[in-house]
Amino acid sequence: MRIRLEDVTVKFKDRRNPKNEVIAVNHVNLEVPESKLICLLGPSGCGKSTALYAISGLQELTGGKIYFGDRDVTKLDTQERKIGLVFQNYSLYPHMTVSQNIAFPLKNAKWKRKDIEDRIQEVARIVQISELLERKPAQLSGGQQQRVAIARALAKNPEILLLDEPLSNLDAKLRRSTREEIRRIQKTTGITTIFVTHDQEEAMTISDEIVIMEDGRFVQQGLPQEVYEQPANLFVAGFIGSPTMNFFDGRFEDGAVMVGNYRVAAHSGASGAVTVGVRPESVRLKEDGLRVKVEIVELLGRERVCRLRTETGELLTMITDIDTLVEEDTQISVGFSPGKVYLFEAESGEALARI
Ligand SMILES: Nc1ncnc2c1ncn2[C@@H]1O[C@H](COP(=O)(O)OP(=O)(O)OP(=O)(O)O)[C@@H](O)[C@H]1O
Ligand SMILES: [Mg+2]
């Protein structure tokens, strides 16, 4: 089922100062194509959960419209929207077995006993918990509980699956395997899914498309590779990628972009101050480049992560392959890979060019 948000806004009264308004979701538009998984990604407090609850019907809109397919669902109750919801704390009923947990929404919907039994077997197979059906939640690992929560959400055959930070209670390893699991389940069922997370790596690996949210607004929507390679602004550039992109104050001089005394590349068409961004993997050793001191070198499997400091005191990160020898407490000179340098308008942070 396709999802469309049209100019959706949600405002709250400020808890501390009721005269003030918090605009948690600020005039956002969104298209989620049928059978795709999109991640709503952004820092804490940017409005992700509020946007998701608005789509679920748990949160009333201040303005705008929501469509599932061609149907306007803006005024529909959550129960009428045919969605499956999974929250951060899986909220399973502790006194019920897995099987009873999954059956619960179906009983409420007055399904026949035989149909309920069949459906439990079916969703248990999809999320691979068939052998756990008679256990209580306390007898399951975090990842297994999470799969039960997803099974329960899928039980009523929803047309849309909404997940709010479903992996945040899991340790790193379980997070990885459970997110692969969610992706597999989503692909097998073909269910249109919105997955909320503040973890950019999670979003990059699981999504068909990513929507990046900043301060109530959707600042960019695109394929994972697009938001990585063509960030719309400084915020997206800094939020996506780990270690994060390096930023420098730059300026245009004689038809070139300069960082300190280092001539980054020829570029014309703009003037004045600019922010120069370069990802750690696009920093490399170069004679006559930017002079830096090597402060820390970390060996990370096949690569070296080097923390460098410029003569003007700015920190930057460089990633090199294992064969490039870089030693701590030495002076080196680095350059930026051509075509991999991002220019942003200093004031607004809007992307200007990649050179
Ligand atoms: N019921 C409410 N009343 C008043 N303000 C609220 C309410 N719910 C959320 N807010 C505010 O709206 C903004 C967005 O909150 P929201 O929970 O959607 O953020 P989030 O992106 O999900 O954050 P997190 O990653 O921490 O879960 C925050 O400033 C929050 O304080
Ligand atoms: Mg949230």
Side-chain angles (χ1 to χ4, degrees):
M1 179 67 70
R2 194 163 42 90
I3 305 173
R4 189 152 55 89
L5 270 59
E6 234 179 56
D7 202 26
V8 167
T9 297
V10 178
K11 292 182 187 170
F12 294 115
K13 292 227 172 346
D14 189 330
R15 292 188 189 102
R16 282 155 300 184
N17 183 358
K19 281 195 201 115
N20 283 355
E21 277 184 334
V22 179
I23 307 179
V25 177
N26 196 350
H27 296 281
V28 302
N29 293 288
L30 175 69
E31 282 258 8
V32 184
E34 169 100 45
S35 295
K36 297 289 184 200
L37 186 157
I38 72 135
C39 271
L40 206 50
L41 172 69
S44 184
C46 72
K48 304 179 295 294
S49 296
T50 307
L52 197 77
Y53 299 155
I55 296 167
S56 76
L58 290 174
Q59 172 64 55
E60 210 178 314
L61 307 190
T62 312
K65 287 201 179 301
I66 298 176
Y67 296 88
F68 290 172
D70 293 324
R71 194 164 58 120
D72 181 348
V73 299
T74 315
K75 297 271 184 282
L76 289 189
D77 286 345
T78 302
Q79 292 80 355
E80 297 171 279
R81 293 196 187 193
K82 298 199 180 131
I83 50 164
L85 266 173
V86 179
F87 299 102
Q88 175 175 344
N89 48 1
Y90 351 101
S91 55
L92 299 174
Y93 305 110
H95 57 288
M96 293 185 189
T97 63
V98 167
S99 166
Q100 289 163 341
N101 263 284
I102 300 172
F104 191 77
L106 304 180
K107 280 191 176 152
N108 276 347
K110 309 255 185 298
W111 281 38
K112 293 204 193 79
R113 213 170 90 198
K114 177 76 175 67
D115 293 342
I116 294 180
E117 278 163 19
D118 289 349
R119 186 61 184 153
I120 291 172
Q121 294 302 330
E122 205 176 344
V123 289
R125 220 170 19 248
I126 296 172
V127 306
Q128 299 178 350
I129 51 164
S130 299
E131 69 290 358
L132 307 175
L133 286 172
E134 294 320 309
R135 293 206 201 164
K136 296 266 176 70
Q139 299 165 315
L140 301 174
S141 75
Q144 290 168 333
Q145 291 185 44
Q146 196 54 268
R147 278 187 273 161
V148 175
I150 293 167
R152 191 175 57 181
L154 290 175
K156 266 169 72 181
N157 255 322
E159 292 171 333
I160 288 167
L161 185 61
L162 303 174
L163 306 157
D164 190 8
E165 310 238 14
L167 308 180
S168 49
N169 283 339
L170 308 181
D171 68 39
K173 201 167 158 211
L174 208 47
R175 270 182 96 105
R176 206 162 304 134
S177 58
T178 312
R179 83 184 177 213
E180 283 163 13
E181 197 79 339
I182 289 178
R183 183 55 161 161
R184 184 186 58 75
I185 295 164
Q186 189 269 331
K187 283 206 160 149
T188 357
T189 55
I191 187 168
T192 309
T193 301
I194 301 183
F195 185 110
V196 162
T197 180
H198 62 265
D199 181 335
Q200 59 94 24
E201 189 201 317
E202 197 161 279
M204 290 296 278
T205 49
I206 202 176
S207 324
D208 289 306
E209 284 188 24
I210 297 180
V211 175
I212 294 162
M213 202 169 175
E214 178 190 17
D215 213 4
R217 291 177 207 272
F218 292 173
V219 287
Q220 188 170 7
Q221 177 174 8
L223 304 174
Q225 198 181 342
E226 273 171 7
V227 295
Y228 187 81
E229 288 185 348
Q230 300 155 38
N233 64 19
L234 212 52
F235 173 78
V236 176
F239 198 74
I240 300 272
S242 173
T244 50
M245 191 184 272
N246 299 297
F247 295 110
F248 306 93
D249 294 333
R251 62 188 192 285
F252 291 101
E253 211 174 276
D254 300 334
V257 177
M258 304 291 294
V259 168
N261 292 325
Y262 173 54
R263 186 177 186 276
V264 178
H267 187 71
S268 58
S271 59
V274 64
T275 301
V276 175
V278 55
R279 294 209 182 273
E281 65 268 27
S282 308
V283 179
R284 60 210 169 97
L285 296 177
K286 181 176 186 288
E287 276 180 42
D288 302 328
L290 190 63
R291 290 193 52 77
V292 293
K293 181 170 179 241
V294 183
E295 294 202 333
I296 298 169
V297 179
E298 291 170 276
L299 208 58
L300 278 188
R302 277 162 292 132
E303 56 197 24
R304 260 179 243 277
V305 179
C306 311
R307 311 283 178 186
L308 315 172
R309 196 177 290 277
T310 66
E311 285 172 340
T312 46
E314 289 163 300
L315 265 180
L316 77 147
T317 308
M318 169 173 76
I319 295 181
T320 64
D321 60 62
I322 202 82
D323 300 321
T324 308
L325 200 63
V326 179
E327 285 182 275
E328 285 180 4
D329 295 323
T330 56
Q331 293 281 341
I332 57 171
S333 162
V334 297
F336 307 149
S337 302
K340 302 282 189 185
V341 179
Y342 297 85
L343 303 183
F344 303 93
E345 213 174 75
E347 206 131 287
S348 68
E350 291 302 310
L352 285 173
R354 200 168 93 187
I355 58 173

